[in-house]
């Protein structure tokens, strides 16, 4: 069938079951927007900054499990998208970003609004494409979706020159994408599965250390089954929270720099460490030679480059987390293993962990007249029964959310882990709410981060999204201030926010609802009012200004060297 | 340790910058690089020499393999192989040293590819070591210019019948 490039583009999105795209128009994509205007199958969300378009598409992907889509114009539109792309890249999120480009004849001429966005994003995309000929348009878009969602997912950028989009093409029939050079491995090697299972059964002090791969790979059920069957304690990375129920007795919460005392101690003393879909990031391992020094290390990951990158692994398993956990469950189930006896064998190990937990539980010093941020998160958890989708910005509030909102389900904590992008949470809440219109979506925000994408109030209002923002307002760039307090003799360089908007009034200016709590007694009423309001609400919690996040492992120290509450 | 890595890749625009960007972005170094077409249309072969301990080399090969346009990665140094480089060397050759230059060229089976009253240009192929050896010998005579290719390499065929 003959059609224009822009029509073919829309048809490709339909093929991929895309329902929502996030974007911002401009000269290079004006034809595309004209076509968007003439159809009603795909809903376009007009953001107020291209960074937000990519964050929203990214969160849409994290919540729905589908590929998120963003559309931006050439030049500044494309460069504005880069932070969003890098954010998705570091967290392995399937996103396809379409950027407009100047006509092919002008490429390389420093034309108006021309940048080499393919060159700029090469190191922060899984792959990217410049479509130079009209005949390549449809195959390239199909390949882009395939690459973004398969294997270790990631963002893919497709650069679309204006003339290519305006040309008439023959829409090719859909055939499965076949790529000579790209074939991710999902199925684990049976020999490695057997080795791993035997090592786990031989262990007296096993620990499961799980990351975002469990969530991306939809492996939470298989993993939970495995952990419970053998009674193995589980710790999660920031990206892994929700991959195993946070309120399960086997859960030790998060590990690493702001992990729990008992999780970090358990990893330090374990004799078998089973890493699933985690990548031994420096925020998790601390000083590398002190990380699980006594353990035999098993590492399940779909990306071979993750294995033995930072830590030497004893039993590597290159596979999808779901496939690997399924096979490990099968191996255990098919042997005559007395599971009761296996669990009893681990009793001394569980006792030890209980002791650590009793000695230094996760906590904070409560006060009567000033709001503690941890208290706010606890109340949010309580009043939403732990069932909200929580997005976060980056900073102390993010860590408190990770510590105190015990995530029980995958795809419910939406946070920028790898890149740590301030300004992520609000547009992410928009994307999350678009993906899950009936869920409660809360952005746990900081006052600094909030101002990095504050313009998105307009987007949320335009889409009538009932997103809730819980702003933990310490009037500081708190996380940096905490480092300055601890390691720079309290020299608070550039961290006090000397001028701050009245956030309640900002919300109101956009037609949203703004609420404020300044005393602990106001916290619950404010949350209740927000949760029962059907529109966008910002809750401004004025919190104890110099509260710190603890435990804390100073950068580069062993994870057993924790500063405690 | 030096490693020679052979990479087969799809000859798409920007593919070379994907490879070099990977090296600079991850702090790996490239000692030499050479790229050319293969017999198969659209496929290029790239030979690169790099250094690093086993972990680094493992990361390099895995990361190369992860690039979508890469077809195959082989660490040739792990196999029995033939490696060659070529150098063009212009060396000062005055009446007192002309014979000496020719004798060195002869020993190393270098060819004279350009002659002037005051210089010879030699073409020499061989392993990196051989080229180093020649340049060391020619240096005292006076090297005016030297242009070298990167290493290319090929695994030897099995000797079993
Ligand atoms: C875009 C960006 N710039 C700078 C930083 C460095 N940074 C990390 S946390 C932080 C402070 C965040 O302040 P706020 O949002 O108020 O959160 P708080 O730590 O106070 O809870 C900064 C500046 C970052 N992560 N992202
Ligand atoms: Mg703050």
């Amino acid at each position: 069938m003959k059609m224009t490039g822009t029509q073919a583009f829309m048809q490709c999105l339909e093929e991929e079951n895309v329902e929502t795209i996030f974007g911002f128009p401009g000269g290079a994509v004006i034809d595309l927007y004209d076509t968007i205007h003439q159809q009603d199958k795909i809903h376009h969300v007009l953001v107020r900054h291209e960074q937000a378009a990519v964050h929203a598409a990214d969160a849409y992907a994290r919540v729905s499990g589908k590929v998120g889509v963003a559309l931006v114009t050439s030049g500044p539109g494309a460069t504005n998208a880069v932070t969003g792309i890098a954010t998705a890249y570091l967290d392995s999120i399937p996103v396809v970003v379409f950027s407009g480009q100047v006509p092919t004849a002008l490429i390389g001429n420093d034309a108006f609004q021309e940048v080499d966005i393919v060159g700029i994003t090469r190191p922060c995309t899984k792959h990217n494409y410049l479509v130079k000929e009209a005949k390549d348009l449809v195959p390239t878009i199909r390949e882009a979706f395939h690459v973004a969602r398969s294997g270790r997912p990631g963002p893919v950028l497709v650069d679309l020159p204006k003339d290519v989009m305006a040309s008439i093409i023959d829409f090719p029939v859909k055939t499965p994408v076949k790529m000579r050079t790209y074939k991710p491995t999902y199925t684990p090697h049976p020999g490695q599965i057997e080795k791993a299972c035997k090592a786990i059964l031989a262990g007296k002090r096993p620990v499961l250390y799980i990351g975002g791969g469990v969530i991306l790979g939809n492996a939470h059920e298989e993993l939970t089954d495995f952990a419970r069957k053998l009674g193995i304690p589980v710790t999660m990375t920031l990206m892994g929270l929700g991959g195993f129920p946070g309120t399960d007795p086997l859960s030790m919460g998060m590990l690493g720099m702001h992990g729990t005392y008992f999780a970090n101690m358990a990893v330090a003393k374990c004799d078998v460490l089973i890493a699933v879909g985690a990548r031994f990031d420096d925020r998790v391992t601390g000083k590398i030679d002190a990380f699980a020094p006594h353990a035999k290390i098993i590492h399940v990951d779909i990306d071979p480059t993750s294995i033995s990158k930072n830590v030497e692994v004893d039993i590597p398993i290159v596979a999808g987390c779901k496939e690997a956990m399924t096979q490990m469950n099968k191996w255990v189930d098919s042997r005559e293993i007395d599971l009761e006896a296996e669990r009893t064998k681990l009793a001394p190990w569980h006792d030890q962990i209980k002791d650590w937990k009793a000695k230094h539980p996760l906590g904070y010093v409560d006060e009567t007249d000033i709001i503690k941020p941890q208290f706010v998160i606890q109340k949010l958890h309580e009043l939403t029964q732990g069932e909200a989708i929580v997005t976060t910005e980056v900073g102390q509030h993010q860590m408190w959310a990770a510590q105190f909102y015990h995530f029980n389900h995958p795809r419910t904590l939406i946070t920028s882990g790898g890149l740590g992008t301030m300004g992520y949470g609000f547009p992410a809440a928009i994307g999350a709410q678009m993906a899950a219109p009936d869920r409660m979506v809360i952005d746990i925000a900081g006052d600094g981060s909030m101002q990095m994408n504050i313009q998105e109030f307009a987007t949320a209002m335009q889409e009538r999204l009932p997103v809730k923002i819980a702003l933990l307002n310490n009037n500081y760039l708190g996380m940096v201030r905490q480092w300055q307090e601890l390691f720079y003799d309290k020299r608070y360089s550039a961290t006090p926010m000397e001028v701050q908007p009245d956030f309640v009034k900002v919300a109101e200016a956009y037609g949203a609802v703004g609420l404020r709590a300044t005393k602990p007694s106001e916290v619950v009423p404010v949350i209740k009012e927000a949760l029962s309001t059907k529109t966008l609400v910002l809750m401004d919690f004025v919190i104890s200004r110099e509260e710190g996040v603890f435990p804390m492992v100073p950068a580069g120290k062993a994870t057993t060297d924790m500063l405690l509450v | 340790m030096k490693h020679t890595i052979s990479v087969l890749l799809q000859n798409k625009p920007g593919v070379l910058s994907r490879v070099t960007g990977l090296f600079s972005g991850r702090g790996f170094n490239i000692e030499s690089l050479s790229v050319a077409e293969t017999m198969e249309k659209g496929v290029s072969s790239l030979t690169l020499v790099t250094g690093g301990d086993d972990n680094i080399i493992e990361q390099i090969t895995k990361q190369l393999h992860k690039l979508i346009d890469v077809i195959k990665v082989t660490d040739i140094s792990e196999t029995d192989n033939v490696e060659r480089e070529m150098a063009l060397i212009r060396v000062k050759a005055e009446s007192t040293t002309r014979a000496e230059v020719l004798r060195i060229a002869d020993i190393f089976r270098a060819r004279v590819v350009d002659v002037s009253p005051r210089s010879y240009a030699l073409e020499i192929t061989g392993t990196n070591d051989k080229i180093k050896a020649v340049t060391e010998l020619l240096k005292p005579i006076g090297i005016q210019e030297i242009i070298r290719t990167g290493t290319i390499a090929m695994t030897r065929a099995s000797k079993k019948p």
Side-chain angles (χ1 to χ4, degrees), chain A residues 84-339:
Chain A
I85 295 171
T87 302
Y89 182 66
L90 282 216
D91 289 344
S92 307
I93 306 303
V95 175
V96 177
V97 176
F98 294 100
S99 50
Q101 182 55 281
V102 302
T104 42
L106 292 182
I107 291 180
N109 279 1
D110 301 324
F112 177 64
Q113 296 196 327
E114 180 191 1
V115 293
D116 175 12
I117 196 63
V118 169
I120 289 172
T121 58
R122 206 169 273 137
C124 61
T125 49
K126 181 171 172 183
H127 199 55
N128 58 17
Y129 303 87
L130 166 63
V131 182
K132 275 195 168 155
E133 288 179 57
K135 70 168 177 32
D136 296 332
L137 177 66
V138 172
T140 304
I141 295 175
R142 287 173 179 162
E143 195 173 297
F145 276 88
H146 173 68
V147 169
R149 71 161 71 91
S150 56
R152 179 180 181 170
V156 175
L157 176 129
V158 184
D159 205 16
L160 304 170
K162 192 168 174 170
D163 57 322
V164 168
M165 299 314 284
S167 55
I168 301 292
I169 62 165
D170 228 343
F171 194 82
V173 193
K174 184 161 170 87
T175 49
V177 176
K178 268 205 225 102
M179 293 170 70
R180 172 178 183 185
T181 56
Y182 172 73
K183 295 182 196 85
T185 310
Y186 292 94
T187 321
H189 190 285
Q192 294 300 91
I193 293 288
E194 167 145 355
K195 263 198 221 160
C197 290
K198 284 185 172 162
I200 294 166
L201 292 175
K204 295 196 181 70
R205 299 183 307 280
V207 166
L208 269 159
Y209 145 49
I210 71 165
V214 169
I215 293 168
L216 290 166
N218 298 315
H220 56 282
E221 277 173 22
E222 291 77 3
L223 180 119
T224 305
D225 181 22
F226 187 76
R228 287 184 177 156
K229 193 168 3 207
L230 295 172
I232 302 173
V234 185
T235 181
M236 286 77 72
T237 67
L238 179 64
M239 299 310 297
L241 290 172
F244 181 80
T247 52
D248 191 286
L250 288 171
S251 167
M252 300 187 289
M254 189 167 70
L255 81 166
M257 183 172 275
H258 292 299
T260 64
Y261 176 77
F262 39 108
N264 282 337
M265 291 306 287
V267 169
K269 302 294 177 209
C270 71
D271 63 354
V272 192
L273 183 75
I274 312 134
V276 187
R279 60 186 175 90
F280 297 84
D281 177 85
D282 55 276
R283 284 291 185 268
V284 160
T285 63
K287 187 162 165 254
I288 206 97
D289 5 301
F291 185 74
H294 316 293
K296 189 160 229 164
I297 298 181
I298 299 162
H299 188 182
V300 178
D301 205 296
I302 197 158
D303 180 358
T305 65
S306 284
I307 290 175
S308 292
K309 182 171 68 181
N310 301 334
V311 169
E312 194 82 44
V313 169
D314 300 294
I315 306 173
I317 301 175
V318 177
C321 292
K322 191 183 185 77
E323 289 77 2
M325 293 319 297
T326 304
Q327 290 311 316
M328 282 162 79
N329 279 319
K330 267 201 190 145
W331 192 93
V332 172
D333 294 343
S334 65
R335 305 282 179 300
E336 308 247 307
I337 292 168
D338 182 350
L339 295 175

Side-chain angles (χ1 to χ4, degrees), chain A residues 446-448 472 474-478:
Chain A
D447 47 303
L472 301 181
N474 51 13
N475 220 304
Y476 272 124
L477 298 173

Side-chain angles (χ1 to χ4, degrees), chain A residues 394-397 420 422 446-449 452 474 476-480:
Chain A
V394 171
Q396 293 183 309
H397 59 278
M422 288 173 68
D447 47 303
S449 302
M452 283 212 172
N474 51 13
Y476 272 124
L477 298 173
M479 183 57 93
V480 181

Side-chain angles (χ1 to χ4, degrees), chain A residues 475-493:
Chain A
N475 220 304
Y476 272 124
L477 298 173
M479 183 57 93
V480 181
R481 186 210 58 78
Q482 177 173 345
W483 284 50
Q484 291 169 336
E485 173 187 339
L486 295 171
F487 314 119
Y488 294 86
D489 274 337
K490 297 201 175 185
R491 288 188 298 278
Y492 293 163
S493 172

Side-chain angles (χ1 to χ4, degrees), chain A residues 84 215 243 424 435 465 564:
Chain A
I215 293 168
Y424 173 78
L465 300 177
L564 298 159

Side-chain angles (χ1 to χ4, degrees), chain A residues 165 508 531:
Chain A
M165 299 314 284
E508 287 167 357
L531 294 182

